[in-house]
Amino acid sequence: MPTLKAKIADESAVRRALMRISHEITENNKGISGVILVGIKSRGISLGNIISDNLEKIEGIRPEMYELDITNYRDDLEKSHDIPDFSKKSETFPVDGKKVIIVDDVIYTGRTARAALEAIFSMGRPSKIQLAVLVDRGHRELPIRADYVGKTIPTAKSEIVKVNTGDYDGEVSIELYEKE
C-alpha cells in the first residue's frame, strides 16, 4: 500500500488551475468555435467536464465533450489477459476539421497521450490537437508535451501522483504517494 507523502493541492487550488487552463484554451484558440474536449477515461472525463463548465461561463457556449477509452490503443500491455477485446468497437465522435483538446489528469511517460492521439486519428483528421493536463510529473519516454498544464510537480519514479475527482473519489485534490 503506497504511503501518503503530501497533499499537493486542495479543491480550490485544483479549480483555480482548471480555470486558468480554461482561459488559456480560449485565448490560444481565439474563442471556442470548433473546439471539442475529449476526456481520457476516467479522471480526464471529470476534469474535462469542469473545463467545459468553465468555458461555458467564459464564452457563453458549452463545447462538445466526449469520452475516450484508450485501452485498445495502449502499447504497454504485457500480459495476455491485459490484451483488449478488439471485437468490441469503441465509441467514435466527429473530429474532422475540429480543434480537439485531449484532457487527462497526469502526464508521465507520454504513453497515454500517444494512445489518445492514435485513437483520435483513427476517427478522422482534426485541424489541431492539443493536450491539457492537471499535473505534469516529468519522466517522459516519448517526445510529447502538454499544451496546458495546471501544475508541474517534479517527482521521483518511486512516487505516485494521484488526482482525486469528486466523481470517483469523493473529493477534489492532488496527492503525492511513495510506492512501497
Side-chain angles (χ1 to χ4, degrees):
M1 182 80 140
T3 306
L4 179 65
K5 288 180 72 172
K7 190 168 218 166
I8 304 292
D10 63 8
E11 182 169 358
S12 63
V14 169
R15 291 197 179 275
R16 277 192 309 275
L18 293 172
M19 182 58 82
R20 183 175 37 77
I21 287 171
S22 303
H23 280 286
E24 289 173 3
I25 288 169
T26 302
E27 290 170 21
N28 291 345
N29 291 287
K30 297 176 178 43
I32 59 167
S33 178
V35 168
I36 65 169
L37 299 176
V38 177
I40 297 177
K41 287 187 179 178
S42 54
R43 286 169 182 78
I45 295 166
S46 297
L47 299 175
N49 283 323
I50 294 169
I51 291 171
S52 184
D53 291 343
N54 291 345
L55 291 172
E56 185 175 26
K57 288 174 192 166
I58 295 165
E59 291 291 301
I61 302 165
R62 185 177 191 84
E64 294 175 61
M65 171 70 194
Y66 298 99
E67 299 178 4
L68 183 63
D69 183 351
I70 57 148
T71 305
N72 290 348
Y73 297 91
R74 296 206 58 99
D75 68 351
D76 56 357
L77 301 176
E78 296 174 2
K79 299 177 182 120
S80 62
H81 70 297
D82 287 338
I83 297 173
D85 179 358
F86 286 100
S87 65
K88 295 179 182 172
K89 178 137 173 58
S90 298
E91 294 202 22
T92 62
F93 42 87
V95 298
D96 286 330
K98 302 282 186 180
K99 297 174 193 170
V100 176
I101 300 175
I102 300 168
V103 181
D104 202 8
D105 56 351
V106 178
I107 186 166
Y108 180 34
T109 62
R111 293 188 181 281
T112 297
R114 186 214 50 86
L117 288 168
E118 231 177 271
I120 301 258
F121 283 123
S122 76
M123 294 179 217
R125 182 156 188 214
S127 65
K128 182 185 249 187
I129 299 178
Q130 300 170 340
L131 177 61
V133 298
L134 182 57
V135 177
D136 182 342
R137 63 166 293 184
H139 304 287
R140 218 73 79 240
E141 295 174 3
L142 300 173
I144 292 175
R145 65 166 181 78
D147 299 280
Y148 310 102
V149 177
K151 190 159 189 62
T152 300
I153 303 172
T155 62
K157 288 188 177 187
S158 64
E159 294 174 322
I160 299 168
V161 174
K162 172 124 180 358
V163 171
N164 296 305
T165 63
D167 297 351
Y168 295 99
D169 309 294
E171 71 167 318
V172 178
S173 65
I174 303 169
E175 298 172 331
L176 183 65
Y177 289 85
E178 183 70 38
K179 290 181 189 174
E180 291 197 8

